[in-house]
Amino acid sequence: MENGNQAVQIIYADQFSPVDELDGPFEGEDLTCPSPAVALRFAYDSDLVALVKSILRRVRHSCSGRGRPLSKIPLAGDWSKPSKCWWVRSSHWPEVRNQLLAAGVKLEGKVAHPGRRKIGFFKDPQVWDVRACNWR
């Protein structure tokens, strides 16, 4: 799709389902407990891949804190070769999502955008649930 001079880049975001026990992010001391994550799927575009990589790197660096070695900070996301998609830790998704939207990327899919829910008389936006990897 063309939007003026630029092509609109679209990413489909959904919950990440690892294809095997070695796929995706892990947490915990023994690194055997899978961490909830968001799957990002899109048609290959080298500029979009570079954007996703730079956002994941920035998010990881922002979590490092002053004086902490970056090597001890878990990845915010990475490419999953078995699943053929990018994954983003659920805890980092709101920040990654905002940076993708700010870069002009169109997001689609189940976890791309919070909906609005009716609470009493008013409609409030949903909040991101890190453990469930979904909006609530």
Side-chain angles (χ1 to χ4, degrees), residues 10-93:
I10 300 172
I11 293 179
Y12 183 80
D14 202 353
Q15 291 177 338
F16 180 76
S17 298
V19 294
D20 58 38
E21 66 277 354
L22 301 176
D23 190 17
F26 294 91
E27 60 187 25
E29 282 185 24
D30 56 3
L31 298 177
T32 58
C33 178
S35 178
V38 173
L40 303 180
R41 291 185 166 83
F42 52 91
Y44 178 78
D45 175 337
S46 60
D47 293 336
L48 190 51
V49 169
L51 175 67
V52 169
K53 283 181 174 181
S54 69
I55 289 172
L56 293 175
R57 193 170 28 258
R58 277 195 306 263
V59 169
R60 184 176 186 217
H61 280 274
S62 71
C63 294
S64 67
R66 189 171 186 97
R68 278 173 73 185
L70 190 59
S71 62
K72 294 191 179 193
I73 304 299
L75 294 174
D78 203 359
W79 172 253
S80 167
K81 193 172 184 177
S83 295
K84 295 183 175 77
C85 70
W86 288 87
W87 57 262
V88 177
R89 281 185 195 277
S90 180
S91 55
H92 297 303
W93 173 238

Side-chain angles (χ1 to χ4, degrees), residues 3 6-13 40 48 51-52 54-56 58-59 88 92-109 111-115 128 135:
N3 182 10
Q6 286 184 309
V8 176
Q9 298 168 316
I10 300 172
I11 293 179
Y12 183 80
L40 303 180
L48 190 51
L51 175 67
V52 169
S54 69
I55 289 172
L56 293 175
R58 277 195 306 263
V59 169
V88 177
H92 297 303
W93 173 238
E95 187 175 351
V96 170
R97 177 187 170 274
N98 288 339
Q99 289 188 34
L100 287 169
L101 290 172
V105 175
K106 182 177 178 185
L107 297 175
E108 295 181 350
V111 300
H113 303 289
W128 182 250
W135 299 101

Side-chain angles (χ1 to χ4, degrees), residues 113-124:
H113 303 289
R116 297 188 72 71
R117 58 188 175 155
K118 188 162 178 128
I119 300 175
F121 183 72
F122 301 100
K123 283 193 172 182
D124 289 336

